Amino acid sequence: MNSASAPGAMQPASELEAETPSSSKGRILAWASWDWGSAAFNAVMTTFVFTVYLTSKAFGGEDSASAVLGAALAVGGFAIALLAPVTGQRSDAGGRRKLWLGVNSAAVAVLTALCFFVFPRPEFLLLGACLIALGNVFFEFAGVNYNAMLAQVSTPQNIGKVSGFGWGAGYLGGIVALLIVLQLFVQPAFDWFGASTRDSLNIRLVAVFSALWFFVFALPVLFAVPELPRTTQATRLGFLASYGLLFRRIKAIYATSPHTIYFLLASAVFRDGLAAVFTFGGIIAAGTFGFALSQVIFFAIFGNVVAAIGAMLGGFLDDKAGPKAVITGSLVGLLIAGTAILVLGNGTYSLFGMQWAGSTTFWVFGLFLCLFVGPAQSSSRAYLARLAPHGESGELFGLYATTGRAVSFLAPALFTLCITLATPLVPAGQAQRWGILGIMLVLLAGLLVLLPVKSPAKAPVAVVPAN
């Protein structure tokens, strides 16, 4: 790792190198436990179960309910983009990184539990949408502090492996949580009061389960990892003054380590494509390849297993070859797998005398997509942690969240545009498949922007002003 290039810099090159020379297995497990628990909010509440319930006919119709939920999430996304860097900055300077991780995690758990009171009637739609949107805001704030703690539980020699282990734990936690939800609430294996569908009690209890799951598994990191020391130069700043400091620090980062800024921009683009792979994967499976809901859920479970394996393997490669090589290889793999799904579609082909069906195409290349998503996400986190100035990880990961939110419209917009353009040109029912092209274009753009960016080993760590 290069030292900071500014003359007279007395601080360590990065927060990663300033931490303890060895990482404890106990701390790593405790840190990754948060990722495991967070899957209840990500996979259960916002992806596969509660938002599906919230956009059902019980709330006034799928189209209108989806519009309300989308609007609420958009407002939440704007709040995240505006506030994330400053919340990270203030937790860094005040030596309260762990404290705010706990506060924000508790807020997510409470908001999730309150979803129990979202009854299946149109008048409860706004309540449900607001709770999910607020949950997303506090979840992102917690994630800023959680990601910043990566440097506190790893070393320069194992940071890739630790980051990959955390991502893998998140995927596996999602599988376990989904299986429990399916067996106890959605398709109960035995009769109990939580299986009752009256007033959607079973789905509302899923919210209580998710809140408890997240809260319990968020606790270990709060006990095992020590609090960040308060910076000696820290002064109390007003909220608006914090933005002045933020902009001065962005300018200083660009002046002393421009490739940190370049990476933030590149990762914002390709991370939007990575998110779209999971966001639209189930939609494409059902709409283009004719998967039933049960098949989509099974694919989601297998996909999470493969993504977890990919994230952990990518972590090992990260420590050997560096994060940029892992991210670049993953993006290339995603482009190849996505192109195969686009070109082959739902057609049936003869291969060595055997029939290759459209469902086989999606299973094979869809799982390859999952395999490469994990390493790209994990190594992105590890890349930034390697370049985070000492005591500034929270602020930098806040910028990471902000840049991601700033371009989060790209993949959905191109997905929709490609379908719209293809509709009059292809047979009925075939246009959705061309939405894959939009996702691939975003991933390709991210790859092209990433290529000139230096790896962390060749890029200096930024020196930022104290105030």
Side-chain angles (χ1 to χ4, degrees), residues 30-341:
W31 178 78
S33 175
W34 191 93
D35 248 328
W36 174 283
S38 70
F41 184 77
N42 279 329
V44 178
M45 294 299 292
T46 65
T47 304
F48 293 112
V49 182
F50 198 81
T51 52
V52 175
Y53 161 69
L54 200 59
T55 54
S56 64
K57 293 180 180 178
F59 291 91
E62 296 175 359
D63 292 341
S64 60
S66 296
V68 171
L69 177 62
L73 290 174
V75 173
F78 178 76
I80 292 166
L82 184 65
L83 299 173
V86 169
T87 57
Q89 172 200 113
R90 294 167 77 85
S91 66
D92 284 342
R96 296 177 176 178
R97 184 179 292 169
K98 185 172 71 171
L99 170 66
W100 286 109
L101 172 61
V103 170
N104 288 315
S105 297
V108 174
V110 170
L111 289 164
T112 301
L114 288 175
C115 288
F116 174 79
F117 298 102
V118 180
F119 289 86
R121 292 190 284 275
E123 58 267 30
F124 288 93
L125 171 61
L126 186 59
L127 171 63
C130 289
L131 288 173
I132 291 294
L134 276 172
N136 269 283
V137 172
F138 285 104
F139 184 82
E140 288 284 355
F141 290 169
V144 166
N145 289 289
Y146 172 73
N147 288 333
M149 292 177 77
L150 173 59
Q152 296 174 249
V153 297
S154 61
T155 68
Q157 290 73 38
N158 72 358
I159 183 172
K161 189 188 306 180
V162 172
S163 182
F165 179 73
W167 272 108
Y171 287 125
L172 294 175
I175 295 166
V176 176
L178 278 171
L179 287 173
I180 293 174
V181 165
L182 282 171
Q183 291 297 308
L184 289 183
F185 304 102
V186 179
Q187 296 176 348
F190 54 91
D191 188 28
W192 69 297
F193 81 92
S196 172
T197 58
R198 184 177 181 180
D199 275 337
S200 298
L201 176 64
N202 58 329
I203 303 300
R204 293 188 292 117
L205 282 174
V206 166
V208 178
F209 164 81
S210 298
L212 290 173
W213 178 278
F214 181 44
F215 181 77
V216 168
F217 287 107
L219 289 176
V221 67
L222 303 179
F223 291 101
V225 180
E227 184 61 276
L228 182 74
R230 180 182 174 88
T231 57
T232 55
Q233 309 98 327
T235 57
R236 290 185 177 274
L237 292 176
F239 187 75
L240 293 179
S242 296
Y243 282 96
L245 176 59
L246 172 65
F247 292 129
R248 291 195 296 275
R249 285 178 169 173
I250 293 174
K251 183 178 179 180
I253 290 172
Y254 183 77
T256 57
S257 182
H259 285 268
T260 300
I261 301 297
Y262 299 156
F263 176 74
L264 284 171
L265 297 175
S267 71
V269 177
F270 69 70
R271 282 188 291 129
D272 188 44
L274 297 176
V277 170
F278 277 113
T279 301
F280 297 109
I283 295 172
I284 292 171
T288 298
F289 292 88
F291 279 36
L293 178 60
S294 59
Q295 291 175 302
V296 172
I297 293 175
F298 276 117
F299 179 83
I301 292 171
F302 280 101
N304 274 281
V305 171
V306 171
I309 293 171
M312 293 180 184
L313 289 177
F316 283 95
L317 293 174
D318 185 303
D319 291 327
K320 301 294 182 182
K324 183 183 175 181
V326 173
I327 298 169
T328 301
S330 297
L331 292 177
V332 171
L334 285 161
L335 288 168
I336 292 173
T339 301
I341 294 175

Side-chain angles (χ1 to χ4, degrees), residues 333-356:
L334 285 161
L335 288 168
I336 292 173
T339 301
I341 294 175
L342 174 63
V343 172
L344 295 176
N346 198 26
T348 300
Y349 305 90
S350 179
L351 184 66
F352 302 114
M354 299 178 64
Q355 293 296 306
W356 179 283

